[in-house]
Amino acid sequence: MADKSDLLKKIIAHSKEYGFVFPSSEIYDGLSAVYDYGQNGVELKNNIKEYWWASMVQMHENIVGLDAAIFMHPTIWKASGHVDAFNDPLIDNKDSKKRYRADVLIEDYIAKVEAKIEKEVAKGKKKFEDSFDEEQFRNTNPNVLRNADKIEKLNARFKKALEDSDLVDLKKMIEDLEIACPVSGSKNWTEVRQFNLMFDTKLGSVSDDSNTIYLRPETAQGIFVNYLNVQKSGRMKVPFGIAQIGKAFRNEIVARQFIFRMREFEQMEMQFFVKPGTQMEWYEKWKQERLQWHLNMGFGEENYRFHDHLKPAHYADAATDIEYNFPMGFKELEGIHSRTDFDLKKHEEFSGKKLQYFDPEEDKSYIPYVVETSLGLDRTFLAVLSSSYTEEKLEDGSERVVLKVPPFLAPTKVAVFPLTKKDGLPEKAREIMDSLKYDFICRYEEKDTIGKRYRRQDAIGTPYCITIDQQTMEDGTVTIRDRDSMKQDRIASEKVGDIVAEKVSMRKALSNND
Ligand code: ATP
């Protein structure tokens, strides 16, 4: 794998060169934090969606899908708390004129102190080798203890400031910690202000405040307001879930790091409706199940961790993030929230409609509690690219870039090459391709040397390349070349379909998911 510090840059360049991700409106110099997915990107994205959808809807009898509209009645966002509370604390550096999230500046500072502890532990490990007792070291080393104490105090103050929306103390923390702007290096900050992240627009032709509507900042509310429609029409019994994939929009203050933080992005969310009092059990269950879903892509357990929230959002009684080790470090990939009955209760209150579920086993009605799993599709896409991007030095001294994406996610499943453009080889190759294209996304290429064609397919992660040569015309065999091992085998052309099907099957990733 490439050095972490420039991996993101390489991924951005690779994404553009090979048709995965383009900056939006590029010929007009782009639109900040908005991106378009190219010919290979859209396939990879669709495959990630398919993996998620199959794991949720296909693999669970009690989870069904939904596709709600992006526009919703504006009162929904009043009820959900987004109009009043979907804010980020914003701060500007007066010298660089750069804008930051005040909470992120503090979090980054705390992360640096945490990194100091880890460095100290690593030093100890190296020094004491086999006799190293990590627990004892952490409990006795003065530097570790001092920094751990510092973190504890900072976290307590930070948590309180966030809970009380105390913008003055957030600013004071930034001053006390002497946090400087990474661009100007100065500590010349404005006051901290709240900034609402929802985009608004007007519905219909009359433009006054009464017809302001919002682009949804999360897909979840479409599920809440439909939960009884789905429950009744699908005769669902608690516990049951509703899954949805769709666009969400946030006017992020600081939008950078490629597709990690976008203003238009896609979420894959599942709301699981449970009996009140059982939410913690389900919360724990979904934490484990969701982590397993990520692990089944094969990117290594060490690259994932849970991060519990100090201050769960206004609607939650417990919340954690699954963080992934992105090129920029561990960051949130998915949120798992125990949302209580907050949303449904609020919608009952604001709409005046009853949103109770009648539980036939308990013989009573109640508002279910909700456990949510909320995954960013674009962040998953970035995780897949950053884990898969590999630079390899080959035995002959040459180098190749290969995207080692799990085969079930690969944009193209098999590429078909005639060795040369003559002697009927292209026709034979087309014939083989025609038999494969009903089942797989295939690509036909006849230009350039076979070596160059292999490299192009390696760069987009195609698991297999099939070459048709003179011998194919004689005995019906082809060469099949494996992306990762680069090994080539001679097989009967009729076997290609089965071999590719086995390789790209999602079955294993799904069956591990229980
Ligand atoms: P962050 O703290 O990084 O802003 P969040 O806690 O606001 O994220 P949630 O509201 O929990 O995010 O949203 C669920 C998921 O949606 C996130 O885990 C993330 O994968 C994705 N997501 C949220 N905001 C963005 C964004 N601006 N761009 C891309 N994906 C996003």
Side-chain angles (χ1 to χ4, degrees), residues 11-139:
I11 285 169
I12 296 171
H14 191 83
S15 293
K16 186 159 176 231
E17 187 177 351
Y18 288 96
F20 283 90
V21 183
F22 307 125
S24 157
S25 325
E26 201 187 3
I27 59 170
Y28 291 95
D29 295 333
L31 184 65
S32 165
V34 186
Y35 291 90
D36 299 334
Y37 286 83
Q39 67 278 18
N40 289 314
V42 67
E43 296 295 345
L44 174 55
K45 208 174 168 199
N46 283 342
N47 294 338
I48 297 171
K49 286 192 215 179
E50 196 186 326
Y51 174 39
W52 184 84
W53 194 263
S55 79
M56 283 295 179
V57 177
Q58 198 174 325
M59 300 299 290
H60 292 95
E61 277 176 46
N62 60 351
I63 300 182
V64 291
L66 179 76
D67 185 16
I70 289 173
F71 290 142
M72 289 191 276
H73 195 286
T75 310
I76 286 175
W77 304 111
K78 261 271 171 224
S80 68
H82 282 81
V83 171
D84 297 322
F86 195 52
N87 300 316
D88 275 342
L90 164 164
I91 191 164
D92 292 296
N93 183 267
K94 290 182 190 164
D95 298 315
S96 66
K97 311 274 185 259
K98 290 275 175 210
R99 182 158 281 182
Y100 298 91
R101 271 173 59 175
D103 55 335
V104 171
L105 287 178
I106 297 169
E107 272 170 12
D108 286 352
Y109 181 94
I110 294 174
K112 275 189 199 143
V113 184
E114 274 166 1
K116 273 189 195 162
I117 295 183
E118 294 317 311
K119 212 169 154 191
E120 196 72 40
V121 172
K123 243 167 62 188
K125 222 178 238 169
K126 204 166 160 203
K127 187 168 162 196
F128 298 109
E129 292 180 344
D130 288 348
S131 62
F132 184 64
D133 179 340
E134 184 167 333
E135 200 184 328
Q136 194 197 2
F137 187 84
R138 283 183 189 272
N139 288 330

Side-chain angles (χ1 to χ4, degrees), residues 60-65 223 226-232 234-243 270-275 282 286 344 357-358 366 368-371:
H60 292 95
E61 277 176 46
N62 60 351
I63 300 182
V64 291
I223 296 180
N226 275 298
Y227 111 92
L228 269 190
N229 284 337
V230 172
Q231 186 271 317
K232 286 187 175 144
R235 300 189 303 145
M236 309 300 289
K237 282 204 182 95
V238 162
F240 73 94
I242 304 179
M270 195 279 297
Q271 310 294 326
F272 200 70
F273 299 87
V274 306
K275 206 158 45 174
W282 286 106
W286 279 111
L344 293 178
Y357 161 79
F358 177 73
Y366 54 78
Y369 269 46
V370 174
V371 175

Side-chain angles (χ1 to χ4, degrees), residues 464-476:
Y464 282 131
C465 296
I466 308 293
T467 305
I468 285 81
D469 56 15
Q470 272 308 331
Q471 199 179 330
T472 315
M473 307 306 273
E474 286 155 24
D475 63 7

Side-chain angles (χ1 to χ4, degrees), residues 101 250 252 260-262 265 267 332-333 374 376 379:
R101 271 173 59 175
R250 296 182 188 179
E252 297 281 1
F260 180 82
R261 190 174 298 287
M262 301 156 94
F265 59 100
Q267 289 185 316
E332 172 173 350
L333 176 59
S374 176
R379 287 190 191 176

